[in-house]
PDB file of all heavy atoms in Angstrom:
ATOM      1  N   GLY A   3      11.350 -26.630  -4.378  1.00 98.00           N
ATOM      2  CA  GLY A   3      11.001 -26.340  -5.758  1.00 98.00           C
ATOM      3  C   GLY A   3       9.545 -26.635  -6.022  1.00 98.00           C
ATOM      4  O   GLY A   3       8.734 -26.779  -5.102  1.00 98.00           O
ATOM      5  N   GLY A   4       9.224 -26.711  -7.276  1.00 97.00           N
ATOM      6  CA  GLY A   4       7.850 -26.919  -7.703  1.00 97.00           C
ATOM      7  C   GLY A   4       7.619 -26.230  -9.019  1.00 97.00           C
ATOM      8  O   GLY A   4       8.561 -25.906  -9.755  1.00 97.00           O
ATOM      9  N   GLY A   5       6.357 -25.970  -9.323  1.00 97.00           N
ATOM     10  CA  GLY A   5       6.046 -25.279 -10.561  1.00 97.00           C
ATOM     11  C   GLY A   5       6.583 -23.863 -10.569  1.00 97.00           C
ATOM     12  O   GLY A   5       6.696 -23.214  -9.522  1.00 97.00           O
ATOM     13  N   SER A   6       6.908 -23.369 -11.754  1.00 97.00           N
ATOM     14  CA  SER A   6       7.323 -21.974 -11.898  1.00 97.00           C
ATOM     15  C   SER A   6       6.092 -21.075 -11.870  1.00 97.00           C
ATOM     16  O   SER A   6       4.958 -21.541 -11.902  1.00 97.00           O
ATOM     17  CB  SER A   6       8.103 -21.790 -13.194  1.00 97.00           C
ATOM     18  OG  SER A   6       9.295 -22.550 -13.164  1.00 97.00           O
ATOM     19  N   GLY A   7       6.326 -19.763 -11.812  1.00 97.00           N
ATOM     20  CA  GLY A   7       5.229 -18.816 -11.727  1.00 97.00           C
ATOM     21  C   GLY A   7       5.042 -18.253 -10.339  1.00 97.00           C
ATOM     22  O   GLY A   7       4.176 -17.405 -10.123  1.00 97.00           O
ATOM     23  N   HIS A   8       5.867 -18.725  -9.376  1.00 98.00           N
ATOM     24  CA  HIS A   8       5.768 -18.259  -7.998  1.00 98.00           C
ATOM     25  C   HIS A   8       6.953 -17.381  -7.614  1.00 98.00           C
ATOM     26  O   HIS A   8       7.185 -17.142  -6.426  1.00 98.00           O
ATOM     27  CB  HIS A   8       5.696 -19.446  -7.040  1.00 98.00           C
ATOM     28  CG  HIS A   8       4.608 -20.403  -7.336  1.00 98.00           C
ATOM     29  ND1 HIS A   8       3.274 -20.029  -7.381  1.00 98.00           N
ATOM     30  CD2 HIS A   8       4.622 -21.738  -7.631  1.00 98.00           C
ATOM     31  CE1 HIS A   8       2.526 -21.073  -7.672  1.00 98.00           C
ATOM     32  NE2 HIS A   8       3.321 -22.127  -7.835  1.00 98.00           N
ATOM     33  N   GLU A   9       7.702 -16.916  -8.586  1.00 98.00           N
ATOM     34  CA  GLU A   9       8.941 -16.201  -8.312  1.00 98.00           C
ATOM     35  C   GLU A   9       8.721 -14.996  -7.384  1.00 98.00           C
ATOM     36  O   GLU A   9       7.671 -14.349  -7.479  1.00 98.00           O
ATOM     37  CB  GLU A   9       9.553 -15.743  -9.639  1.00 98.00           C
ATOM     38  CG  GLU A   9      10.125 -16.877 -10.472  1.00 98.00           C
ATOM     39  CD  GLU A   9       9.042 -17.802 -11.054  1.00 98.00           C
ATOM     40  OE1 GLU A   9       7.884 -17.344 -11.205  1.00 98.00           O
ATOM     41  OE2 GLU A   9       9.341 -18.963 -11.350  1.00 98.00           O
ATOM     42  N   PRO A  10       9.717 -14.754  -6.487  1.00 98.00           N
ATOM     43  CA  PRO A  10      11.057 -15.361  -6.440  1.00 98.00           C
ATOM     44  C   PRO A  10      11.142 -16.781  -5.904  1.00 98.00           C
ATOM     45  O   PRO A  10      12.188 -17.404  -6.007  1.00 98.00           O
ATOM     46  CB  PRO A  10      11.832 -14.405  -5.527  1.00 98.00           C
ATOM     47  CG  PRO A  10      10.812 -13.784  -4.664  1.00 98.00           C
ATOM     48  CD  PRO A  10       9.580 -13.639  -5.521  1.00 98.00           C
ATOM     49  N   ALA A  11      10.059 -17.296  -5.261  1.00 98.00           N
ATOM     50  CA  ALA A  11      10.096 -18.711  -4.882  1.00 98.00           C
ATOM     51  C   ALA A  11      10.116 -19.549  -6.181  1.00 98.00           C
ATOM     52  O   ALA A  11       9.383 -19.238  -7.119  1.00 98.00           O
ATOM     53  CB  ALA A  11       8.871 -19.069  -4.039  1.00 98.00           C
ATOM     54  N   HIS A  12      10.999 -20.509  -6.291  1.00 98.00           N
ATOM     55  CA  HIS A  12      11.844 -21.010  -5.220  1.00 98.00           C
ATOM     56  C   HIS A  12      13.309 -20.690  -5.524  1.00 98.00           C
ATOM     57  O   HIS A  12      14.130 -20.592  -4.624  1.00 98.00           O
ATOM     58  CB  HIS A  12      11.674 -22.511  -5.070  1.00 98.00           C
ATOM     59  CG  HIS A  12      10.253 -22.906  -4.746  1.00 98.00           C
ATOM     60  ND1 HIS A  12       9.255 -23.014  -5.678  1.00 98.00           N
ATOM     61  CD2 HIS A  12       9.674 -23.175  -3.564  1.00 98.00           C
ATOM     62  CE1 HIS A  12       8.130 -23.346  -5.099  1.00 98.00           C
ATOM     63  NE2 HIS A  12       8.346 -23.461  -3.818  1.00 98.00           N
ATOM     64  N   ALA A  13      13.605 -20.532  -6.812  1.00 98.00           N
ATOM     65  CA  ALA A  13      14.999 -20.349  -7.211  1.00 98.00           C
ATOM     66  C   ALA A  13      15.585 -19.052  -6.674  1.00 98.00           C
ATOM     67  O   ALA A  13      16.796 -18.958  -6.450  1.00 98.00           O
ATOM     68  CB  ALA A  13      15.115 -20.381  -8.737  1.00 98.00           C
ATOM     69  N   GLY A  14      14.747 -18.048  -6.435  1.00 98.00           N
ATOM     70  CA  GLY A  14      15.254 -16.783  -5.898  1.00 98.00           C
ATOM     71  C   GLY A  14      15.715 -16.876  -4.473  1.00 98.00           C
ATOM     72  O   GLY A  14      16.324 -15.928  -3.953  1.00 98.00           O
ATOM     73  N   PHE A  15      15.465 -17.998  -3.802  1.00 98.00           N
ATOM     74  CA  PHE A  15      15.878 -18.161  -2.411  1.00 98.00           C
ATOM     75  C   PHE A  15      17.018 -19.156  -2.262  1.00 98.00           C
ATOM     76  O   PHE A  15      17.242 -19.700  -1.172  1.00 98.00           O
ATOM     77  CB  PHE A  15      14.682 -18.609  -1.566  1.00 98.00           C
ATOM     78  CG  PHE A  15      13.560 -17.611  -1.564  1.00 98.00           C
ATOM     79  CD1 PHE A  15      12.246 -18.024  -1.697  1.00 98.00           C
ATOM     80  CD2 PHE A  15      13.808 -16.252  -1.464  1.00 98.00           C
ATOM     81  CE1 PHE A  15      11.203 -17.111  -1.710  1.00 98.00           C
ATOM     82  CE2 PHE A  15      12.782 -15.328  -1.481  1.00 98.00           C
ATOM     83  CZ  PHE A  15      11.477 -15.748  -1.598  1.00 98.00           C
ATOM     84  N   VAL A  16      17.753 -19.389  -3.330  1.00 98.00           N
ATOM     85  CA  VAL A  16      18.952 -20.226  -3.257  1.00 98.00           C
ATOM     86  C   VAL A  16      20.111 -19.352  -2.779  1.00 98.00           C
ATOM     87  O   VAL A  16      20.392 -18.300  -3.347  1.00 98.00           O
ATOM     88  CB  VAL A  16      19.270 -20.854  -4.628  1.00 98.00           C
ATOM     89  CG1 VAL A  16      20.609 -21.584  -4.588  1.00 98.00           C
ATOM     90  CG2 VAL A  16      18.157 -21.803  -5.046  1.00 98.00           C
ATOM     91  N   GLY A  17      20.769 -19.813  -1.724  1.00 98.00           N
ATOM     92  CA  GLY A  17      21.907 -19.068  -1.201  1.00 98.00           C
ATOM     93  C   GLY A  17      22.207 -19.486   0.224  1.00 98.00           C
ATOM     94  O   GLY A  17      21.455 -20.242   0.848  1.00 98.00           O
ATOM     95  N   PRO A  18      23.321 -19.012   0.777  1.00 98.00           N
ATOM     96  CA  PRO A  18      23.710 -19.378   2.143  1.00 98.00           C
ATOM     97  C   PRO A  18      22.620 -19.046   3.152  1.00 98.00           C
ATOM     98  O   PRO A  18      22.037 -17.969   3.121  1.00 98.00           O
ATOM     99  CB  PRO A  18      24.968 -18.529   2.386  1.00 98.00           C
ATOM    100  CG  PRO A  18      25.504 -18.253   1.013  1.00 98.00           C
ATOM    101  CD  PRO A  18      24.309 -18.132   0.129  1.00 98.00           C
ATOM    102  N   GLY A  19      22.332 -19.987   4.031  1.00 98.00           N
ATOM    103  CA  GLY A  19      21.315 -19.785   5.040  1.00 98.00           C
ATOM    104  C   GLY A  19      19.911 -20.057   4.551  1.00 98.00           C
ATOM    105  O   GLY A  19      18.952 -19.963   5.332  1.00 98.00           O
ATOM    106  N   LEU A  20      19.766 -20.423   3.292  1.00 98.00           N
ATOM    107  CA  LEU A  20      18.450 -20.756   2.734  1.00 98.00           C
ATOM    108  C   LEU A  20      18.573 -22.064   1.954  1.00 98.00           C
ATOM    109  O   LEU A  20      18.993 -23.065   2.512  1.00 98.00           O
ATOM    110  CB  LEU A  20      17.925 -19.608   1.861  1.00 98.00           C
ATOM    111  CG  LEU A  20      17.278 -18.437   2.614  1.00 98.00           C
ATOM    112  CD1 LEU A  20      17.093 -17.235   1.711  1.00 98.00           C
ATOM    113  CD2 LEU A  20      15.926 -18.889   3.174  1.00 98.00           C
ATOM    114  N   LEU A  21      18.205 -22.055   0.689  1.00 98.00           N
ATOM    115  CA  LEU A  21      18.202 -23.287  -0.100  1.00 98.00           C
ATOM    116  C   LEU A  21      19.572 -23.562  -0.714  1.00 98.00           C
ATOM    117  O   LEU A  21      20.294 -22.633  -1.106  1.00 98.00           O
ATOM    118  CB  LEU A  21      17.159 -23.202  -1.211  1.00 98.00           C
ATOM    119  CG  LEU A  21      15.701 -23.017  -0.773  1.00 98.00           C
ATOM    120  CD1 LEU A  21      14.804 -22.950  -2.009  1.00 98.00           C
ATOM    121  CD2 LEU A  21      15.265 -24.134   0.161  1.00 98.00           C
ATOM    122  N   SER A  22      19.876 -24.845  -0.833  1.00 98.00           N
ATOM    123  CA  SER A  22      21.080 -25.254  -1.573  1.00 98.00           C
ATOM    124  C   SER A  22      20.787 -25.356  -3.056  1.00 98.00           C
ATOM    125  O   SER A  22      21.672 -25.121  -3.889  1.00 98.00           O
ATOM    126  CB  SER A  22      21.562 -26.614  -1.057  1.00 98.00           C
ATOM    127  OG  SER A  22      21.759 -26.591   0.338  1.00 98.00           O
ATOM    128  N   ALA A  23      19.547 -25.722  -3.382  1.00 98.00           N
ATOM    129  CA  ALA A  23      19.139 -25.843  -4.785  1.00 98.00           C
ATOM    130  C   ALA A  23      17.632 -25.730  -4.860  1.00 98.00           C
ATOM    131  O   ALA A  23      16.917 -26.008  -3.897  1.00 98.00           O
ATOM    132  CB  ALA A  23      19.612 -27.168  -5.382  1.00 98.00           C
ATOM    133  N   ALA A  24      17.150 -25.311  -6.033  1.00 98.00           N
ATOM    134  CA  ALA A  24      15.714 -25.251  -6.315  1.00 98.00           C
ATOM    135  C   ALA A  24      15.479 -25.918  -7.658  1.00 98.00           C
ATOM    136  O   ALA A  24      16.223 -25.688  -8.622  1.00 98.00           O
ATOM    137  CB  ALA A  24      15.225 -23.816  -6.348  1.00 98.00           C
ATOM    138  N   VAL A  25      14.440 -26.742  -7.719  1.00 98.00           N
ATOM    139  CA  VAL A  25      14.094 -27.470  -8.940  1.00 98.00           C
ATOM    140  C   VAL A  25      12.850 -26.825  -9.530  1.00 98.00           C
ATOM    141  O   VAL A  25      11.821 -26.712  -8.858  1.00 98.00           O
ATOM    142  CB  VAL A  25      13.834 -28.954  -8.648  1.00 98.00           C
ATOM    143  CG1 VAL A  25      13.721 -29.740  -9.952  1.00 98.00           C
ATOM    144  CG2 VAL A  25      14.937 -29.538  -7.768  1.00 98.00           C
ATOM    145  N   CYS A  26      12.941 -26.379 -10.782  1.00 98.00           N
ATOM    146  CA  CYS A  26      11.884 -25.576 -11.401  1.00 98.00           C
ATOM    147  C   CYS A  26      11.114 -26.393 -12.442  1.00 98.00           C
ATOM    148  O   CYS A  26      11.698 -26.869 -13.423  1.00 98.00           O
ATOM    149  CB  CYS A  26      12.485 -24.338 -12.083  1.00 98.00           C
ATOM    150  SG  CYS A  26      13.556 -23.362 -11.006  1.00 98.00           S
ATOM    151  N   GLY A  27       9.813 -26.539 -12.226  1.00 97.00           N
ATOM    152  CA  GLY A  27       8.965 -27.183 -13.215  1.00 97.00           C
ATOM    153  C   GLY A  27       8.418 -26.171 -14.197  1.00 97.00           C
ATOM    154  O   GLY A  27       8.745 -24.974 -14.146  1.00 97.00           O
ATOM    155  N   ASP A  28       7.571 -26.625 -15.111  1.00 97.00           N
ATOM    156  CA  ASP A  28       6.866 -25.701 -15.982  1.00 97.00           C
ATOM    157  C   ASP A  28       5.929 -24.834 -15.127  1.00 97.00           C
ATOM    158  O   ASP A  28       5.759 -25.069 -13.924  1.00 97.00           O
ATOM    159  CB  ASP A  28       6.066 -26.466 -17.036  1.00 97.00           C
ATOM    160  CG  ASP A  28       6.963 -27.060 -18.104  1.00 97.00           C
ATOM    161  OD1 ASP A  28       7.980 -26.426 -18.445  1.00 97.00           O
ATOM    162  OD2 ASP A  28       6.643 -28.173 -18.588  1.00 97.00           O
ATOM    163  N   VAL A  29       5.295 -23.840 -15.752  1.00 96.00           N
ATOM    164  CA  VAL A  29       4.421 -22.946 -15.001  1.00 96.00           C
ATOM    165  C   VAL A  29       3.318 -23.755 -14.325  1.00 96.00           C
ATOM    166  O   VAL A  29       2.543 -24.465 -14.981  1.00 96.00           O
ATOM    167  CB  VAL A  29       3.818 -21.868 -15.922  1.00 96.00           C
ATOM    168  CG1 VAL A  29       2.786 -21.036 -15.169  1.00 96.00           C
ATOM    169  CG2 VAL A  29       4.926 -20.975 -16.461  1.00 96.00           C
ATOM    170  N   PHE A  30       3.297 -23.666 -13.001  1.00 96.00           N
ATOM    171  CA  PHE A  30       2.291 -24.322 -12.157  1.00 96.00           C
ATOM    172  C   PHE A  30       2.290 -25.845 -12.310  1.00 96.00           C
ATOM    173  O   PHE A  30       1.278 -26.493 -12.051  1.00 96.00           O
ATOM    174  CB  PHE A  30       0.892 -23.779 -12.437  1.00 96.00           C
ATOM    175  CG  PHE A  30       0.699 -22.338 -12.051  1.00 96.00           C
ATOM    176  CD1 PHE A  30      -0.431 -21.657 -12.459  1.00 96.00           C
ATOM    177  CD2 PHE A  30       1.638 -21.651 -11.294  1.00 96.00           C
ATOM    178  CE1 PHE A  30      -0.636 -20.318 -12.107  1.00 96.00           C
ATOM    179  CE2 PHE A  30       1.455 -20.320 -10.937  1.00 96.00           C
ATOM    180  CZ  PHE A  30       0.310 -19.658 -11.351  1.00 96.00           C
ATOM    181  N   ALA A  31       3.407 -26.434 -12.715  1.00 96.00           N
ATOM    182  CA  ALA A  31       3.491 -27.885 -12.882  1.00 96.00           C
ATOM    183  C   ALA A  31       4.716 -28.401 -12.140  1.00 96.00           C
ATOM    184  O   ALA A  31       5.803 -27.808 -12.216  1.00 96.00           O
ATOM    185  CB  ALA A  31       3.578 -28.257 -14.361  1.00 96.00           C
ATOM    186  N   SER A  32       4.559 -29.486 -11.432  1.00 97.00           N
ATOM    187  CA  SER A  32       5.670 -30.054 -10.678  1.00 97.00           C
ATOM    188  C   SER A  32       6.817 -30.451 -11.607  1.00 97.00           C
ATOM    189  O   SER A  32       6.584 -30.923 -12.728  1.00 97.00           O
ATOM    190  CB  SER A  32       5.187 -31.275  -9.895  1.00 97.00           C
ATOM    191  OG  SER A  32       6.260 -31.885  -9.214  1.00 97.00           O
ATOM    192  N   PRO A  33       8.060 -30.286 -11.167  1.00 97.00           N
ATOM    193  CA  PRO A  33       9.174 -30.793 -11.962  1.00 97.00           C
ATOM    194  C   PRO A  33       9.162 -32.319 -12.003  1.00 97.00           C
ATOM    195  O   PRO A  33       8.561 -32.976 -11.154  1.00 97.00           O
ATOM    196  CB  PRO A  33      10.405 -30.257 -11.212  1.00 97.00           C
ATOM    197  CG  PRO A  33       9.934 -30.025  -9.818  1.00 97.00           C
ATOM    198  CD  PRO A  33       8.498 -29.634  -9.930  1.00 97.00           C
ATOM    199  N   SER A  34       9.843 -32.870 -12.961  1.00 97.00           N
ATOM    200  CA  SER A  34       9.868 -34.319 -13.136  1.00 97.00           C
ATOM    201  C   SER A  34      10.710 -34.992 -12.055  1.00 97.00           C
ATOM    202  O   SER A  34      11.526 -34.352 -11.370  1.00 97.00           O
ATOM    203  CB  SER A  34      10.439 -34.671 -14.513  1.00 97.00           C
ATOM    204  OG  SER A  34      11.819 -34.313 -14.563  1.00 97.00           O
ATOM    205  N   VAL A  35      10.530 -36.298 -11.920  1.00 98.00           N
ATOM    206  CA  VAL A  35      11.343 -37.067 -10.973  1.00 98.00           C
ATOM    207  C   VAL A  35      12.818 -36.936 -11.313  1.00 98.00           C
ATOM    208  O   VAL A  35      13.671 -36.749 -10.431  1.00 98.00           O
ATOM    209  CB  VAL A  35      10.908 -38.548 -10.986  1.00 98.00           C
ATOM    210  CG1 VAL A  35      11.837 -39.374 -10.103  1.00 98.00           C
ATOM    211  CG2 VAL A  35       9.465 -38.689 -10.525  1.00 98.00           C
ATOM    212  N   ASP A  36      13.157 -37.015 -12.602  1.00 98.00           N
ATOM    213  CA  ASP A  36      14.562 -36.908 -13.012  1.00 98.00           C
ATOM    214  C   ASP A  36      15.145 -35.546 -12.635  1.00 98.00           C
ATOM    215  O   ASP A  36      16.303 -35.449 -12.211  1.00 98.00           O
ATOM    216  CB  ASP A  36      14.695 -37.121 -14.521  1.00 98.00           C
ATOM    217  CG  ASP A  36      14.599 -38.592 -14.907  1.00 98.00           C
ATOM    218  OD1 ASP A  36      14.625 -39.444 -13.995  1.00 98.00           O
ATOM    219  OD2 ASP A  36      14.495 -38.881 -16.114  1.00 98.00           O
ATOM    220  N   ALA A  37      14.342 -34.480 -12.806  1.00 98.00           N
ATOM    221  CA  ALA A  37      14.842 -33.147 -12.463  1.00 98.00           C
ATOM    222  C   ALA A  37      15.117 -33.037 -10.966  1.00 98.00           C
ATOM    223  O   ALA A  37      16.144 -32.492 -10.537  1.00 98.00           O
ATOM    224  CB  ALA A  37      13.845 -32.086 -12.900  1.00 98.00           C
ATOM    225  N   VAL A  38      14.200 -33.555 -10.136  1.00 98.00           N
ATOM    226  CA  VAL A  38      14.410 -33.510  -8.682  1.00 98.00           C
ATOM    227  C   VAL A  38      15.617 -34.356  -8.299  1.00 98.00           C
ATOM    228  O   VAL A  38      16.457 -33.934  -7.479  1.00 98.00           O
ATOM    229  CB  VAL A  38      13.145 -34.000  -7.938  1.00 98.00           C
ATOM    230  CG1 VAL A  38      13.387 -33.992  -6.434  1.00 98.00           C
ATOM    231  CG2 VAL A  38      11.939 -33.134  -8.288  1.00 98.00           C
ATOM    232  N   LEU A  39      15.732 -35.549  -8.869  1.00 98.00           N
ATOM    233  CA  LEU A  39      16.880 -36.407  -8.560  1.00 98.00           C
ATOM    234  C   LEU A  39      18.181 -35.736  -8.972  1.00 98.00           C
ATOM    235  O   LEU A  39      19.193 -35.816  -8.247  1.00 98.00           O
ATOM    236  CB  LEU A  39      16.726 -37.757  -9.265  1.00 98.00           C
ATOM    237  CG  LEU A  39      17.843 -38.770  -9.019  1.00 98.00           C
ATOM    238  CD1 LEU A  39      17.979 -39.102  -7.540  1.00 98.00           C
ATOM    239  CD2 LEU A  39      17.607 -40.049  -9.842  1.00 98.00           C
ATOM    240  N   ALA A  40      18.171 -35.052 -10.122  1.00 98.00           N
ATOM    241  CA  ALA A  40      19.375 -34.342 -10.549  1.00 98.00           C
ATOM    242  C   ALA A  40      19.771 -33.291  -9.518  1.00 98.00           C
ATOM    243  O   ALA A  40      20.958 -33.113  -9.203  1.00 98.00           O
ATOM    244  CB  ALA A  40      19.141 -33.691 -11.914  1.00 98.00           C
TER     245      ALA A  40
END
């Protein structure tokens, strides 16, 4: 995951054989610690 604005990375690559989950921050901003832990 990471900042949004890079679509389809990262949430667009969630699925079998790729990511189990993607954590989306604000545009070009890292997601929070709580979001990653969740």
Side-chain angles (χ1 to χ4, degrees):
S6 297
H8 305 302
E9 289 70 24
H12 300 81
F15 299 137
V16 173
L20 279 167
L21 299 180
S22 305
V25 190
C26 308
D28 286 325
V29 174
F30 294 169
S32 177
S34 67
V35 175
D36 283 350
V38 178
L39 181 60

